[in-house]
Amino acid sequence: MDSMVRNPDVKQRDAAQAVVVAVSSDAIFTPEVEQVHGATEPLRKGDAFSFMKAIQVVNERLLTLNSDETLLFDVILLSNDSEEKHSRIIASAKHYGLDIGRFCFCNKEDSIESLQSNNVKLFLSTDTNDVCKALQKGVPAALLYHQTDPHHQTEDQLKVVFSGDVIGSSEEMLHGLREQGFTETQLQGFKTAKGSVKEFAILMGEMRRRFGLEGSPLCTGLMTAWSSRDVCASALKTLRGWGLLVDEAFCLAGAPRSPILNLVRPHIICLDGLYHMEGFTAMS
Amino acid sequence: MTMYRPNMSEIKPTDPAATNAGEEKDWTASKACSDSLKTEKLKPPKPQNAVTIAVSSRTLFNMDEERKIYEEEGVEKYMAYMNQQEHENEPLMPGVAFPLVKALMTVNSRLRQLYPDSEELFDIVLMTNNHAQVGVRLINSINHYDLTIERFCMTGGKSPIGYLKAYMTNLYLSKDGEKVTEAIEEGIAAATMFASGDVENQLSDTQLKVAFDGDAVLFSDESEIIAKQRGLDKFFEHEQEFENIPLKKGPLKCFLEALGKLQRKFYAKNERMTCPIRTYLVTARSAASSGARVLKTLRSWGLEIDEALFLAGAPKGPLLQMIRPHIFFDDQMFHIEGAKKLGTIAAHVPYGIGQKYHKGELIEQPVKDKK
């Protein structure tokens, strides 16, 4: 059972045409260590703040090009918080002027159902465990990358990175992963990631094409973390076939991701579903 | 006298990223990928263990025609051209860094034969600010020549400098002098490459040969400043007086160090005579009056150079023509031009006082406008 509250301060999008994304409230507003009863001041900004600002920039630019544009980002804030916090969340969104279309308040157990019944294209969380769990359950999900450097937050351009390992992968690859000891649960996450990325990539491709090669408020990238260059080439061609011409591409061949990600500074990373799973044991 | 033998990670320009559980998993998965392909392809080494050479797309391949379209017709026309099916599958012609890359691959095969489990190898990374869509053509070309280049960064127009650090790059080669200058300012060995005519079939395919100028390349420009500002006589006087004081290091010193470390792996297996890496010092200094300080400096750093050639001011071109290095580094355009004229692959190191002079004369520096 969920309760959906429309945000009166934000013009409602046409949910059938928009890119509906659900963002966890813990990502937008920093969870409070101590719940103070009756507190009314706005909640503190969370890790997803620069993402929210960047989304706003993209929507504004799209509407500037075409005031009747329906291919816009439509954000649902997903909250599992107690009822007494609901109005505070809504007030905080208003205080910061966030482009949140609807608030969805539900129990943790009902979250998945809420996502599925609201035509959500992508569930976004800063917690890789939440993302992987959602993928395992067949829900399209991606990571909101926590940009650690407060002086270099990207707020004027939304950056979305896709996984070349997922998009360019083959059956043989899955078999290889199995042989290396990845569990069926992890592989299920991988399969969901592969199955769900197409729709989101097509939408991003269409949105990206509204803008020129340079000066776009939306920047797309492909990262191939551990597959070969041929997998990367295959991913580039696949994305192209879906209508998405990515701007940047990185092929790491097993090199550490963090130094590269710290430079790319993406907001959304479509994971491969294999990582940061509970109970994962180190491979020899 | 104890010799200083650095670890590979000490030669890296930045601290190696701490490996964490996520990165270990990436490593495991990459193993799964290379195993599943069942090809001869071997897994690339971890960046902190390897000698990382970053090459731009225009140094690896000849992209003159494409560059012309980019400059004359703009980026959209250039992208359209590159993406046309008939062009995408057409391998690009080898560029100025191509012979060097082949030679690096030869060294790697020899290293793998002697040390099958070691990651102390050359790792070649393609570092380009090209758009990702050009990637398919670049990968097709890499496949065509069967080059072992598994890592690349296509930054879609942004500066590649940060990525050089992220990959712990030991040497960056580009045709763009501005990027090279920026890299050097960030402490990364770098040089601007120039086309040199087709000498590929004359270069050794069993031994990598790298030639270095001394002042302002391996060493700082401290002595060169004296030569330019106070004349040669004062220069000789100074060098003799300070013979036993090591020169400060220059931008390419760490790269020579990395080459030396790999050379010693061959020596350790009694392969000194057949070592597939050979280094040369080609300097305008004269052996009698200013050479000793250079050799003593190298010795104090624990570095060896296979051949030290003191030209006492004679042109470098003819000597380089005999050596036929896969790459020759010099800070002065005058020497680069002389080398190029006689077919040597030359790379300019834009560092130090030499940038303000041409053929001994002070160049009028234009007023730089801030971008």
Side-chain angles (χ1 to χ4, degrees):
Chain A
M1 230 278 287
D2 65 36
S3 93
M4 281 295 256
V5 179
R6 287 170 193 266
N7 186 347
D9 297 320
V10 166
K11 184 174 173 199
Q12 293 298 309
R13 317 281 183 219
D14 179 348
Q17 304 292 329
V19 181
V20 182
V21 297
V23 186
S24 152
S25 84
D26 286 347
I28 299 180
F29 303 117
T30 309
E32 291 182 316
V33 177
E34 268 179 47
Q35 298 275 14
V36 178
H37 289 288
T40 53
E41 70 276 12
L43 296 160
R44 281 178 50 227
K45 295 182 194 179
D47 295 338
F49 228 76
S50 63
F51 161 75
M52 290 303 302
K53 288 293 168 191
I55 279 219
Q56 222 152 314
V57 170
V58 175
N59 280 348
E60 278 161 18
R61 287 278 299 270
L62 285 167
L63 287 166
T64 307
L65 289 171
N66 173 10
S67 54
D68 295 324
E69 178 67 77
T70 51
L71 184 67
L72 299 166
F73 282 107
D74 181 13
V75 180
I76 297 178
L77 181 153
L78 184 70
S79 156
N80 303 135
D81 298 279
S82 59
E83 204 170 320
E84 59 179 8
K85 211 171 162 191
H86 293 184
S87 51
R88 199 160 162 221
I89 287 174
I90 296 174
S92 300
K94 185 188 170 102
H95 172 83
Y96 293 112
L98 295 178
D99 191 357
I100 295 172
R102 289 165 282 168
F103 302 91
C104 177
F105 299 107
C106 64
N107 295 323
K108 210 166 166 74
E109 311 83 66
D110 300 329
S111 291
I112 301 284
E113 208 192 299
S114 293
L115 293 171
Q116 287 165 333
S117 62
N118 283 295
N119 194 31
V120 170
K121 298 283 188 284
L122 209 56
F123 166 59
L124 298 169
S125 172
T126 48
D127 185 337
T128 48
N129 264 319
D130 279 353
V131 174
C132 289
K133 277 192 201 140
L135 284 171
Q136 271 177 53
K137 296 207 172 90
V139 173
L143 180 68
L144 272 178
Y145 186 65
H146 178 210
Q147 301 187 14
T148 47
D149 185 351
H151 300 295
H152 282 105
Q153 302 285 343
T154 329
E155 287 186 2
D156 55 0
Q157 186 184 58
L158 180 70
K159 294 195 77 164
V160 180
V161 169
F162 291 89
S163 162
D165 306 291
V166 166
I167 297 170
S169 69
S170 61
E171 270 309 306
E172 270 183 350
M173 188 85 62
L174 276 178
H175 190 61
L177 290 170
R178 213 170 264 129
E179 281 184 353
Q180 284 299 318
F182 287 94
T183 67
E184 285 311 311
T185 311
Q186 288 165 318
L187 292 175
Q188 183 52 56
F190 187 88
K191 285 180 205 164
T192 305
K194 192 170 164 82
S196 62
V197 74
K198 180 174 176 180
E199 197 185 349
F200 186 63
I202 290 173
L203 290 168
M204 288 299 97
E206 219 184 302
M207 215 185 249
R208 180 69 187 83
R209 266 179 282 124
R210 302 275 199 264
F211 307 102
L213 266 179
E214 289 167 347
S216 166
L218 173 63
C219 177
T220 55
L222 180 73
M223 181 170 295
T224 307
W226 39 265
S227 304
S228 70
R229 64 183 187 238
D230 291 323
V231 172
C232 185
S234 167
L236 285 169
K237 286 194 260 195
T238 302
L239 284 171
R240 191 168 66 192
W242 293 342
L244 174 57
L245 300 170
V246 290
D247 300 286
E248 308 175 343
F250 305 92
C251 196
L252 271 53
R257 294 191 219 205
S258 345
I260 306 289
L261 285 174
N262 284 337
L263 286 163
V264 176
R265 282 193 283 271
H267 296 98
I268 298 177
I269 305 181
C270 297
L271 297 176
D272 55 27
L274 296 171
Y275 292 89
H276 300 278
M277 302 293 285
E278 278 160 10
F280 185 97
T281 53
M283 290 290 137
S284 57
Chain B
M1 186 181 79
T2 51
M3 295 280 271
Y4 168 63
R5 292 185 193 279
N7 291 323
M8 195 55 77
S9 56
E10 288 168 29
I11 306 173
K12 290 291 182 179
T14 53
D15 289 334
T19 44
N20 57 35
E23 285 156 11
E24 281 305 314
K25 290 167 212 164
D26 274 338
W27 201 241
T28 309
S30 78
K31 192 166 185 300
C33 182
S34 49
D35 287 352
S36 79
L37 291 178
K38 294 179 179 32
T39 59
E40 300 280 295
K41 267 192 219 174
L42 298 152
K43 207 177 69 175
K46 286 199 178 107
Q48 62 260 38
N49 299 330
V51 178
T52 305
I53 317 271
V55 295
S56 74
S57 54
R58 288 195 292 144
T59 55
L60 182 62
F61 297 117
N62 183 331
M63 295 175 72
D64 289 345
E65 227 177 88
E66 289 79 7
R67 181 76 185 167
K68 211 158 156 249
I69 297 174
Y70 174 81
E71 283 172 355
E72 290 174 9
E73 300 182 54
V75 65
E76 306 257 355
K77 283 264 162 27
Y78 165 73
M79 291 301 298
Y81 177 85
M82 293 299 275
N83 285 342
Q84 282 165 31
Q85 289 293 3
E86 57 268 30
H87 294 129
E88 192 169 86
N89 295 317
E90 204 181 282
L92 293 158
M93 292 304 290
V96 64
F98 194 89
L100 174 69
V101 167
K102 294 292 281 183
L104 295 173
M105 287 167 57
T106 303
V107 176
N108 274 356
S109 328
R110 290 281 304 276
L111 280 168
R112 284 197 156 109
Q113 275 167 16
L114 294 175
Y115 301 91
D117 298 319
S118 172
E119 290 200 332
E120 289 173 338
L121 299 163
F122 286 114
D123 182 24
I124 306 155
V125 175
L126 178 62
M127 185 70 68
T128 174
N129 67 337
N130 249 308
H131 228 71
Q133 296 313 309
V134 178
V136 179
R137 187 169 188 200
L138 289 171
I139 295 171
N140 285 344
S141 302
I142 289 171
N143 283 342
H144 176 80
Y145 298 104
D146 207 16
L147 303 177
T148 44
I149 298 177
E150 297 297 334
R151 295 188 166 128
F152 37 90
C153 274
M154 288 168 206
T155 68
K158 300 181 184 77
S159 166
I161 301 301
Y163 297 101
L164 292 176
K165 286 196 195 172
Y167 275 112
M168 293 185 268
T169 305
N170 293 90
L171 178 68
Y172 171 53
L173 300 171
S174 170
K175 281 202 165 178
D176 183 337
E178 273 180 34
K179 293 201 183 71
V180 169
T181 304
E182 211 188 320
I184 290 183
E185 281 164 8
E186 295 287 324
I188 302 167
T192 318
M193 293 197 84
F194 296 87
S196 69
D198 185 18
V199 289
E200 199 190 321
N201 43 4
Q202 295 175 341
L203 298 172
S204 168
D205 57 4
T206 52
Q207 187 180 58
L208 168 70
K209 295 187 187 182
V210 184
F212 299 87
D213 172 35
D215 296 281
V217 173
L218 288 177
F219 314 112
S220 76
D221 65 342
E222 62 193 269
S223 297
E224 207 160 282
I225 291 174
I226 295 171
K228 292 270 188 298
Q229 292 177 348
R230 292 160 65 190
L232 273 180
D233 287 338
K234 280 277 177 266
F235 168 75
F236 293 140
E237 243 179 67
H238 184 269
E239 292 307 287
Q240 280 171 353
E241 194 187 324
F242 286 83
E243 195 178 285
N244 294 307
I245 313 286
L247 290 157
K248 294 195 201 58
K249 65 177 182 177
L252 272 291
K253 179 245 183 184
C254 286
F255 181 59
L256 176 66
E257 202 168 17
L259 290 177
K261 181 161 199 325
L262 292 179
Q263 280 179 309
R264 282 196 290 277
K265 297 187 72 155
F266 290 97
Y267 304 163
K269 297 264 182 176
N270 277 322
E271 300 244 350
R272 190 181 269 268
M273 297 308 290
T274 53
C275 181
I277 302 173
R278 194 161 181 84
T279 56
Y280 302 80
L281 173 69
V282 180
T283 173
R285 285 183 182 238
S286 100
S289 54
S290 49
R293 192 176 182 198
V294 153
L295 296 174
K296 289 186 182 184
T297 301
L298 286 171
R299 202 180 306 146
S300 77
W301 290 342
L303 296 185
E304 291 178 18
I305 202 140
D306 296 304
E307 288 187 41
L309 303 148
F310 297 96
L311 289 162
K316 297 188 183 184
L319 186 68
L320 288 165
Q321 201 181 20
M322 284 197 322
I323 295 172
R324 294 197 201 123
H326 292 90
I327 190 165
F328 162 59
F329 297 102
D330 201 300
D331 67 304
Q332 305 203 49
M333 280 309 296
F334 169 63
H335 289 302
I336 297 292
E337 278 153 20
K340 268 172 63 190
K341 259 194 206 103
L342 296 177
T344 295
I345 303 176
H348 179 232
V349 183
Y351 168 81
I353 192 98
Q355 309 322 304
K356 300 198 178 74
Y357 285 83
H358 184 64
K359 293 187 180 164
E361 295 296 313
L362 187 63
I363 307 170
E364 275 291 318
Q365 293 292 311
V367 174
K368 270 211 164 114
D369 49 8
K370 299 262 177 216
K371 288 219 182 99

